[in-house]
Amino acid sequence: MYGYLAVTSDLFLEWIADEESLPQALSDESVLKHIIGLYEMAVRERMSIIMWQRYVDFAAGLSNSRDEEIRAAAVAAFGREDYVIALLRQGVEATGAHYLQSQALWMQYCDYILHQINKAEGSQKDELVEQLQSVFIERLAQPHTGVDETFTMYSEFTTRHNAATYEQQMVDANKIVSVTRGQSVQRNAFEDRLVESEGSWAEYSRYISGLAADNTTQPAEICMLYERALVTSCYSPEVWSEYGAYVAGAFDDTQVALDVTYRGLRNCPWSGRLWAQCVRFAYAHEGYELASRVYARATDTHAVSYSMVEYGLLAVAWLAVTRADPGCDDEMLLDTCD
C-alpha cells in the first residue's frame, strides 16, 4: 500500500507499535531492522518533529537498555555503535530549518555531545569540543525562535571549554547573531499572519515568496515551509506541484524533485498535473525508459481515467517527452495516441 498511497504518521506509529509488541522483538535483529525501516519511511513521508523525537527516543531506549541482547541487536540492526548520535545528527539536519519547533531536538543533540565531552580525555575531547563549536556556530546562523537561548548556551560552553579565546569567540558570534536576529523580525511577522489565517496555504505561499526574494535564505528553509504547509494541505496537488518545481530549480539533483512528486502522487493519485510533472522529472532524471514506466503506472492504475482534463494533462506531458527523446520515431508517436 505504501508504494501507492500515503500513510499518515498515526498509522505508522500504530504499525510500529504492533511490531514492537511481538515477543522478543527488541532483541531480534531482523525485527529491529524492520522497525527502523518503518521509522525511516515515516520521517521521509511527512516532516514531523514528533515522529523524529519518537525515533530518537526509540534508539536511545535501545542504547540505554539493561538487556545486553537488546543492545547488541540494536548495534547490528543500525549497523554502527554510535547510532544514537548519528540519528540525532540526521534528525537535526532534517528539522533544523523549522523556525518554531526545531530547538528541542537540537538541544538534545548538543546535550549528547556535551555528555561525550565530559567523559572524554585528551585529543578525543579536543575533537568533540571543536565539533560542538561548529554545531553552535551553524545554529547561531540559522533563523529560529530560540536564538537568544542558543547564544546563552554558546557563551557558557565557550567559558568552560574555550576560555582563552572567549572574548574573540563572542565578538565573532555576536556578528552572526545580529544578522540572525534581523532575519527573525521578518519571520516573526510571517508567523503571526500564519496564526491569524490558521495556517492557510495562501499565507504560507506569501511566506515562501517573501523569503525566496531574499537571496540569503537557504533552500532548506523554503523546503521546510512547504513541508509545514503540507501538514494541512497534503491533498492539494497545487502545493505538491509548486514544491516539486521549487526543488527542481533549487537543487542540482533531479532525484530530489522526483521524490517530492512521488510523495505528492501518494497523497493525490487523481492529479493529472502531478502525473505530468512526474513524467517530465522522470525523463530529466533517467530518460525515456523511466518516464514510460511512470506513464504506464498512471494508465494501468486508471488513476486519472475519471477525467479527460486530468488525463489530458498527463497525455500532453507524455507526448512532449516522447517527441523530445532522440530515439523518437513515427511508431513511438503513434503509440502515444493509444
Side-chain angles (χ1 to χ4, degrees), residues 10 51 81 96 130 150 152 188 206 225 260 281 283:
D10 287 343
M51 184 61 75
E81 293 187 0
E130 185 176 348
T150 304
T152 299
N188 288 337
R206 281 188 280 271
L225 286 173
V260 167
F281 286 159
Y283 183 77

Side-chain angles (χ1 to χ4, degrees), residues 251-280:
F251 301 99
D252 188 22
D253 185 354
T254 52
Q255 183 64 61
V256 178
L258 200 53
D259 289 344
V260 167
T261 310
Y262 282 147
R263 287 174 58 203
L265 284 171
R266 287 198 292 274
N267 285 274
C268 310
W270 62 85
S271 172
R273 177 179 180 176
L274 286 177
W275 280 110
Q277 188 177 59
C278 195
V279 166
R280 290 193 294 270

Side-chain angles (χ1 to χ4, degrees), residues 48 51 61 80 124 129 161 177 190 193 201 203 227 231 248 298 302 309 317-318 322 334:
S48 168
M51 184 61 75
R80 56 193 302 169
Q124 183 185 21
V129 167
H161 297 286
V177 170
F190 280 121
R193 289 196 286 271
W201 163 239
E203 200 56 57
E227 293 289 350
V231 171
H302 304 286
V309 173
W318 174 235
T322 302
L334 286 172

Side-chain angles (χ1 to χ4, degrees), residues 78-205:
F78 277 100
R80 56 193 302 169
E81 293 187 0
D82 62 343
Y83 60 86
V84 177
I85 188 67
L87 186 59
L88 276 166
R89 187 183 305 113
Q90 184 184 351
V92 166
E93 290 173 355
T95 65
H98 197 304
Y99 184 69
L100 297 180
Q101 298 178 8
S102 58
Q103 187 74 342
L105 192 61
W106 181 85
M107 288 178 66
Q108 189 173 349
Y109 178 44
C110 285
D111 288 343
Y112 196 94
I113 300 175
L114 279 171
H115 181 66
Q116 289 185 316
I117 289 173
N118 293 334
K119 294 191 302 180
E121 296 179 352
S123 61
Q124 183 185 21
K125 184 171 185 175
D126 293 340
E127 290 175 5
L128 288 169
V129 167
E130 185 176 348
Q131 177 186 346
L132 189 52
Q133 164 84 11
S134 297
V135 169
F136 269 114
I137 295 301
E138 289 176 8
R139 184 61 171 171
L140 288 171
Q142 187 172 51
H144 62 288
T145 53
V147 65
D148 290 331
E149 179 183 32
T150 304
F151 185 74
T152 299
M153 291 171 61
Y154 179 63
S155 177
E156 294 170 353
F157 164 76
T158 305
T159 298
R160 183 171 180 181
H161 297 286
N162 290 314
T165 58
Y166 176 84
E167 184 174 349
Q168 185 58 51
Q169 298 254 16
M170 298 312 296
V171 168
D172 293 341
N174 260 308
K175 293 177 181 177
I176 296 171
V177 170
S178 65
V179 174
T180 308
R181 286 179 178 140
Q183 294 171 329
S184 295
V185 172
Q186 179 191 28
R187 286 156 179 77
N188 288 337
F190 280 121
E191 293 291 346
D192 289 343
R193 289 196 286 271
L194 267 182
V195 173
E196 293 171 2
S197 72
E198 298 182 345
S200 71
W201 163 239
E203 200 56 57
Y204 268 114
S205 183

